[in-house]
Amino acid sequence: MALPAPRSAPSPAAVLTPAPTAGEVRVQQGPFTDRVQLTGLRLTASPSSVTGHVAIGSDVSDTLALEITAAYYDAEGRLLGTGTFHHAEEGEEAHAGQPHTGPRAAGDGIDFTVPADHLTGTPAGAVLSIPVLVNE
């Protein structure tokens, strides 16, 4: 039996309505937003990025893969560009039998930065989405 092809993340809206207020970071509701807690969200100016903290609250197993995307918008709500943060846990075999001691998305969570890539202007706000979340 063939598995269905994975769906790609939806493209960001060309125009954000209503336009963002200065420094605003919105979270787009999606299939994984109810499983995570995003806190401390902040739009930084130089270099343009969104920073924050993500914790997986619905599962205590290790997070194997996590992707957070940001769409950056100007003060009029026009899309300026995007960026992506990737996180992948290393398996136990990668630690030669030693337990993983680094940050994990499950439990206490991890800090993240989504850098903007090739912006066409100065962002006033951003919209985050989580297109990938894979637990053990």
Side-chain angles (χ1 to χ4, degrees), residues 12-29:
V15 177
L16 187 61
T17 306
T21 59
E24 180 181 10
V25 178
R26 298 179 190 171
V27 177
Q28 179 179 356
Q29 294 302 308

Side-chain angles (χ1 to χ4, degrees), residues 62 87 89-90 95 98-106 108-110:
D62 286 346
H87 174 77
E89 289 288 348
E90 297 176 26
H95 297 285
Q98 299 299 313
H100 178 83
T101 58
R104 293 179 179 217
D108 291 337
I110 56 171

Side-chain angles (χ1 to χ4, degrees), residues 31-136:
F32 305 116
T33 51
D34 63 338
R35 294 174 51 194
V36 301
Q37 295 174 338
L38 295 165
T39 56
L41 299 178
R42 198 174 108 217
L43 178 64
T44 59
S46 184
S48 293
S49 62
V50 172
T51 60
H53 185 83
V54 61
I56 312 294
S58 65
D59 199 336
V60 295
S61 64
D62 286 346
T63 301
L64 301 177
L66 171 67
E67 182 178 308
I68 301 173
T69 62
Y72 295 90
Y73 293 89
D74 67 13
E76 286 76 43
R78 292 183 300 251
L79 181 65
L80 300 174
T82 61
T84 304
F85 167 82
H86 295 278
H87 174 77
E89 289 288 348
E90 297 176 26
E92 286 299 317
E93 52 284 344
H95 297 285
Q98 299 299 313
H100 178 83
T101 58
R104 293 179 179 217
D108 291 337
I110 56 171
D111 294 328
F112 66 87
T113 299
V114 184
D117 189 29
H118 306 297
L119 291 181
T120 60
T122 302
V127 176
L128 291 183
S129 61
I130 302 172
V132 175
L133 176 60
V134 179
N135 290 77
E136 239 177 18

